[in-house]
Amino acid sequence: MRGTTRTVAVAAVSAAALLAAGCGGGDSSPSSSGGSTAAGKTGGAITVHGCTPQNPFIPANTNETCGGDVLDAIVSKLVHYNPDTAAPEMDIAESITSTDNQTFTVKLNKGYMFTDGTEVKAKNFVDAWNWNRNGVNGTLNSYFFDVIEGAGDMDCGVFDKDQGTGENDPKAGDPDCKGKPPKATTLSGLKVVDDYTFTVKTTEKVSNLPVRLGYTAFAPLPDSFFADNGKAFGDAPVGAGPYKLEKYTKGTDMVLTKNADYKGKFAGKVDKITFKIYQDTDAAYTDVQADNLDLLAAVPASALAGEKYKTDLPDRNLVQAIGTFASISFPSSKADKSYDNPKLRQAISTAIDRKTIVDKILAGTRVPATGWVSPVVDGYKEGACGDFCTYDKAKAKALFDEAGGYTGKMTIGYNADGDHKAWTEAACNSIKDALGVECIATPYPDFATFRTKITAEEMKGMFRTGWQMDYPSIENFLAPLYGTGAGSNDSRYSNPAFDKLLTEAAAATDGAAANAKYQEAEALLANDMPVIPMWYGKAVAGWSTKVENVKVTPFGTFDLTSVTVK
Amino acid sequence: MGTYILRRLLLMVPVIIGATFLIYAMVFAMPGDPLAGRCGERPCPPAFAAKFREQHHLNDPLPVQYAKYMGQLAQGDLGETFQGVKVSEELSKRYPITIRLAVIAILVELVIGVFAGVLAGIRKGKFVDNLVLVSTLIVIAIPTFVIGVLARKIFGLDLGWFRPTVSPAAPWSELILPGIVLGAISLAYVARLTRTNLVENLRADYVRTAVAKGLGRPRTIGVHTLRNSLIPVVTFVGADFGGLLGGAIITERIFNIRGVGGYIFQSIHSRDGVAVVGAVTVLVIVFLIMNLIVDLLYGVLDPRISHD
């Protein structure tokens, strides 16, 4: 999940998915590339809207867009996501093969060089992944490696309450890496075969492993990284990507220059990219108008209202469907039992007039959801939610009465530091109007407070949730969110049939068969309605008069390799 | 005088210690786990969380955390933010910019404010007076972000007189527009304070005496009356300088200035206690010094107020 402090921005950006599923198929969407027709000249310098990276530039510790956008230009990974369709394409990997979806053989292309002059070899991947998953290093993205065999042996032991001051010791239950280091320092599922080949064995069948490998955390690391556990690397990352980090002035900007030794297929055209840090997107937007900033991936809400950006930036804007999903989640039974009846949850979903809210409140910048999976990923199937996502007052009321009504007040919680007040209130009004039950949108001061409540299962009443895909797969919209015990399963939904379908899908050797299983699992969600789908995101991007050939990926970021200077 | 200053400087030490503790305790008491928003919609991996808490002393009770912080501070180390950046490094980059901005704002409010106040004061009830009163009322009534956004659009974008946003180096010339915006509201207060006090003092006996003994109008007003009328203005401006340093959050955001206000705001947002305390401690010191300067200025403006 890319998000954190910028989740606010992300949620404000999102919007509709006109272009439908770009994935898998060969039809790239022409409307997603702006600028002129020709490939454009090479060279020149551009500036891109940036924000303060929350962590040092270590792939395994970068889980938000501020650092991620920069790092993605610096590192090459095994696979590269097509900027139009998000379909994975081989990059450093020559091939990734498997006969059983459990043991994968990765062959590397020769000749990829790190910017420190060493060649990218199989051991750079294996060492990197071992380091990333090692409990001692406590990385943010360690869970991406949980699927690899032996991951469990790399967790540190747990600090016993008897070791410290007893029950109330704040460290009780935390991993204790000093006292109880992990059993293993390497993942048993990773084996180097030769300099350009390694194998990955997963704990269970994972049909979409190759798709996942394009995520930043799977990037190779040079030998120099391990000398000081990434200390120097964090400030001056060394990758094998099309660009290298020339200079990072904290709080101000990050300057990237073209990597002259880059041998891959996805080279950039401009010579220099400067990520300028802004505190406020409105200021960045003004700079785009004044040609002081070239690329802005998220036009601010003030310019979205009344589609003002279309007159401010004529022919210099585009709308792109992106892999984000907004929803209203129900509290876990432990926190609040009053929503336990699925009929009631379906009634509430049917009572929300998504289309009117999107048009009137969100200026048409989202697409009302018809299911739980974003249209940008391979395997998307329209209408998984069925009638429950179509506004129907009478039907909602009938379902509501069938469910036995609701006593008390309903609430929808939201974090007040994002743009969520207007739409949560509108959703509440819609529910009130259709079901005749009191509903109040309840603000929490900020994202941290809000998430603390949810994670601790103390959140009573409904609350808003959002998701931004890590990698373009239907699985990423289902397993981490609704699987039993999954990391982002805020409603603590648990359905053995759903879990079983996920396992079967992961085992399927054929992509279409896997997708069919995932779709079957998604359909189950309509019966149980653990989370109400609200809408899919779209990004509205704008650029200055100085650049052309601008493209926005389904991740909502610019494709920095295609943009050119006029 | 010397002993007075020394006494005041010594008094600052307990105030600074007390203030840092209060701020530390308040940041500590804020609801929400610093780790909660850090990993988006999912909880952070336990190993990361444990390492993070260990690194930033989040497991310790408040007094221990505070003692550790003060221990570092005594060695001149302001600590590291959650992003792993040294607080001292951030502050040394940001304070000069914010100070430049505040100085421009203060100059604007002093020069224009006092001038407008004097004009209005000596022409009490006339057109100029009403003009100043009405225009300052309008400025006070409009929130800074409206003035700022309008100024950015009109002078930055449409007319192109200024850069709409400030570049990283933030030279004086680029800070003029933000400085005017920042100083606008205080300017209105300064003008009104000056006017009211001037009008009041112009009725005083010593003014009548000065006029009676044949002093010219400029000297009567400029030297005798204005000096006395400026005492409340100086008090206001002194306190305002500190306020402008830490409170320029809105102006800084609008013009993308990498200053202290935005830094404190972001740090509070991410529950980054060390960063907040560091930045605010410097602010407290600025406030204390400004207070001292203001008190000393009283003596200069009105010799009857003595510090010996």
Side-chain angles (χ1 to χ4, degrees):
Chain A
M1 166 78 202
R2 292 263 175 100
T4 77
T5 51
R6 281 246 301 170
T7 315
V8 178
V10 165
V13 172
S14 321
L18 327 153
L19 312 170
C23 275
D27 57 344
S28 69
S29 38
S31 51
S32 73
S33 69
S36 76
T37 47
K41 61 170 192 172
T42 55
I46 57 166
T47 50
V48 187
H49 172 250
C51 47
T52 302
Q54 295 299 300
N55 301 285
F57 289 112
I58 292 175
N61 270 332
T62 298
N63 67 339
E64 38 80 44
T65 46
C66 302
D69 287 357
V70 176
L71 212 46
D72 272 339
I74 294 171
V75 297
S76 278
K77 288 141 285 187
L78 290 172
V79 301
H80 172 265
Y81 298 125
N82 183 295
D84 294 316
T85 63
E89 295 165 350
M90 292 300 139
D91 190 354
I92 299 182
E94 186 187 84
S95 65
I96 303 172
T97 49
S98 173
T99 47
D100 59 355
N101 277 343
Q102 192 154 15
T103 309
F104 296 82
T105 306
V106 182
K107 281 199 162 52
L108 306 183
N109 279 312
K110 287 176 191 171
Y112 271 85
M113 304 296 280
F114 286 111
T115 46
D116 66 1
T118 56
E119 194 183 0
V120 180
K121 293 184 176 165
K123 84 179 187 24
N124 293 106
F125 284 96
V126 172
D127 290 350
W129 298 2
N130 282 332
W131 191 90
N132 294 349
R133 185 57 187 83
N134 195 334
V136 174
N137 300 321
T139 63
L140 275 170
N141 290 330
S142 58
Y143 57 87
F144 279 92
F145 303 90
D146 285 354
V147 294
I148 300 172
E149 195 184 71
D153 290 339
M154 294 189 79
D155 286 323
C156 299
V158 169
F159 193 89
D160 263 329
K161 56 180 192 289
D162 311 330
Q163 282 174 269
T165 50
E167 278 306 333
N168 297 324
D169 192 285
K171 281 198 243 164
D174 271 1
D176 173 23
C177 292
K178 279 200 196 96
K180 298 175 180 168
K183 270 186 260 169
T185 52
T186 53
L187 291 159
S188 57
L190 296 178
K191 295 244 160 35
V192 176
V193 177
D194 59 48
D195 272 359
Y196 302 100
T197 316
F198 69 99
T199 58
V200 184
K201 186 157 188 275
T202 54
T203 47
E204 47 196 57
K205 292 176 189 292
V206 186
S207 57
N208 69 350
L209 187 77
V211 184
R212 301 185 188 193
L213 297 180
Y215 188 69
T216 326
F218 290 98
L221 295 171
D223 295 344
S224 58
F225 176 93
F226 306 98
D228 62 353
N229 271 322
K231 260 208 164 55
F233 190 97
D235 284 325
V238 176
Y243 288 92
K244 58 178 188 237
L245 183 67
E246 189 76 32
K247 190 160 165 272
Y248 171 26
T249 315
K250 281 166 186 155
T252 306
D253 56 17
M254 289 148 282
V255 182
L256 272 57
T257 51
K258 209 167 179 171
N259 174 8
D261 300 325
Y262 179 71
K263 298 284 184 326
K265 290 171 282 186
F266 308 102
K269 300 212 170 65
V270 295
D271 287 338
K272 187 174 155 194
I273 302 172
T274 305
F275 285 85
K276 277 172 81 173
I277 295 177
Y278 286 85
Q279 302 167 36
D280 183 23
T281 358
D282 271 305
Y285 182 74
T286 311
D287 263 358
V288 172
Q289 286 177 278
D291 272 350
N292 281 335
L293 177 72
D294 293 326
L295 300 177
L296 174 63
V299 166
S302 59
L304 292 176
E307 304 202 319
K308 191 169 160 286
Y309 67 93
K310 287 193 177 160
T311 45
D312 286 345
L313 307 171
D315 305 322
R316 290 189 277 132
N317 63 76
L318 71 81
V319 176
Q320 162 78 39
I322 57 172
T324 61
F325 170 72
S327 47
I328 294 177
S329 293
F330 291 102
S332 70
S333 294
K334 189 182 151 201
D336 185 351
K337 285 196 190 323
S338 62
Y339 296 93
D340 280 1
N341 187 345
K343 278 247 153 42
L344 172 70
R345 300 200 287 250
Q346 288 165 343
I348 297 172
S349 176
T350 318
I352 299 173
D353 188 354
R354 293 167 183 76
K355 192 173 174 331
T356 308
I357 299 176
V358 165
D359 289 346
K360 294 268 151 51
I361 310 241
L362 301 169
T365 55
R366 319 283 150 96
V367 170
T370 62
W372 289 263
V373 174
S374 163
V376 304
V377 300
D378 188 23
Y380 164 73
K381 190 177 163 200
E382 203 188 328
C385 180
D387 291 344
F388 300 128
C389 287
T390 317
Y391 175 58
D392 185 339
K393 228 168 129 172
K395 197 181 155 213
K397 182 73 180 146
L399 276 165
F400 183 67
D401 291 338
E402 214 178 308
Y406 186 84
T407 39
K409 280 183 211 151
M410 290 185 181
T411 51
I412 302 178
Y414 65 95
N415 49 313
D417 56 355
D419 283 331
H420 304 300
K421 185 174 195 284
W423 75 259
T424 43
E425 280 178 354
C428 250
N429 284 335
S430 193
I431 293 169
K432 210 186 316 188
D433 177 50
L435 306 181
V437 60
E438 194 61 34
C439 177
I440 299 163
T442 316
Y444 289 82
D446 54 27
F447 192 61
T449 322
F450 183 62
R451 289 303 310 177
T452 308
K453 277 252 175 206
I454 295 171
T455 318
E457 290 187 67
E458 283 165 7
M459 183 64 90
K460 298 207 186 300
M462 299 175 273
F463 51 91
R464 69 150 282 269
T465 37
W467 183 250
Q468 186 173 15
M469 65 178 179
D470 299 311
Y471 43 84
S473 166
I474 179 172
E475 178 266 348
N476 194 233
F477 281 91
L478 298 173
L481 292 163
Y482 316 111
T484 302
S488 300
N489 189 342
D490 289 331
S491 297
R492 305 291 188 271
Y493 174 67
S494 176
N495 180 347
F498 181 86
D499 294 341
K500 187 163 168 275
L501 282 167
L502 288 190
T503 317
E504 286 171 15
T509 42
D510 171 51
N515 285 345
K517 287 281 179 198
Y518 281 123
Q519 286 161 0
E520 239 179 274
E522 189 189 3
L524 288 182
L525 294 176
N527 296 335
D528 299 332
M529 196 61 73
V531 160
I532 300 176
M534 293 301 287
W535 36 72
Y536 309 121
K538 59 183 180 183
V540 181
W543 56 92
S544 75
T545 57
K546 292 191 266 183
V547 294
E548 55 189 351
N549 295 309
V550 179
K551 218 182 247 188
V552 174
T553 68
F555 292 91
T557 58
F558 286 105
D559 175 31
L560 294 172
T561 56
S562 61
V563 58
T564 56
V565 176
K566 270 185 194 165
Chain B
M1 187 78 167
T3 45
Y4 173 77
I5 297 177
L6 191 68
R7 205 176 69 229
R8 286 285 299 264
L9 286 176
L10 282 177
L11 265 176
M12 285 183 190
V13 176
V15 175
I16 292 169
I17 294 176
T20 51
F21 182 74
L22 277 181
I23 298 156
Y24 211 101
M26 281 192 271
V27 176
F28 189 87
M30 280 200 299
D33 179 354
L35 280 160
R38 230 179 142 69
C39 301
E41 312 272 335
R42 68 170 102 213
C44 290
F48 173 81
K51 198 177 143 200
F52 186 86
R53 279 197 284 266
E54 183 77 38
Q55 209 170 354
H56 298 283
H57 312 305
L58 297 180
N59 283 325
D60 301 326
L62 174 63
V64 179
Q65 273 193 40
Y66 180 69
K68 280 185 182 165
Y69 177 76
M70 287 310 274
Q72 282 181 348
L73 192 66
Q75 297 160 32
D77 182 3
L78 284 170
E80 267 187 13
T81 65
F82 287 167
Q83 284 130 24
V85 183
K86 279 206 171 323
V87 175
S88 52
E89 189 184 313
E90 283 272 3
L91 291 183
S92 63
K93 256 192 328 211
R94 286 168 182 269
Y95 261 105
I97 296 175
T98 301
I99 288 174
R100 282 205 289 276
L101 180 67
V103 165
I104 292 177
I106 291 283
L107 281 180
V108 167
E109 64 182 71
L110 264 185
V111 173
I112 305 181
V114 171
F115 184 71
V118 170
L119 272 186
I122 56 179
R123 293 202 167 75
K124 182 172 169 273
K126 302 268 171 49
F127 173 74
V128 179
D129 185 23
N130 287 325
L131 183 73
V132 169
L133 284 179
V134 170
S135 54
T136 51
L137 187 70
I138 292 173
V139 172
I140 293 173
I142 303 176
T144 311
F145 66 86
V146 177
I147 303 179
V149 170
L150 275 180
R152 184 181 69 191
K153 178 160 174 17
I154 296 170
F155 300 108
L157 207 57
D158 298 345
L159 297 174
W161 293 354
F162 299 94
R163 265 180 66 109
T165 58
V166 174
S167 63
W172 288 94
S173 58
E174 286 179 13
L175 290 171
I176 293 175
L177 185 62
I180 294 174
V181 170
L182 184 61
I185 287 186
S186 302
L187 182 158
Y189 286 117
V190 168
R192 288 175 155 241
L193 266 178
T194 313
R195 176 197 171 272
T196 315
N197 280 289
L198 195 68
V199 168
E200 188 94 342
N201 285 331
L202 277 175
R203 287 203 298 259
D205 292 344
Y206 68 88
V207 176
R208 200 166 357 127
T209 314
V211 175
K213 74 179 182 188
L215 281 186
R217 200 168 148 79
R219 198 165 165 78
T220 320
I221 293 169
V223 180
H224 290 260
T225 326
L226 190 57
R227 237 171 94 164
N228 278 315
S229 309
L230 280 183
I231 287 187
V233 176
V234 166
T235 315
F236 173 77
V237 170
D240 200 35
F241 185 76
L244 289 179
L245 285 185
I249 300 172
I250 297 169
T251 317
E252 285 182 5
R253 274 185 85 95
I254 292 173
F255 295 99
N256 198 39
I257 300 167
R258 292 131 184 109
V260 178
Y263 181 65
I264 296 177
F265 177 77
Q266 275 174 1
S267 309
I268 293 175
H269 205 82
S270 55
R271 306 285 185 276
D272 202 336
V274 171
V276 179
V277 180
V280 177
T281 306
V282 178
L283 269 187
V284 170
I285 296 173
V286 171
F287 263 106
L288 290 172
I289 292 176
M290 284 313 293
N291 257 330
L292 179 61
I293 294 177
V294 167
D295 284 351
L296 294 176
L297 270 179
Y298 286 166
V300 176
L301 286 170
D302 186 347
R304 286 172 300 182
I305 306 172
S306 161
H307 294 299
D308 290 322

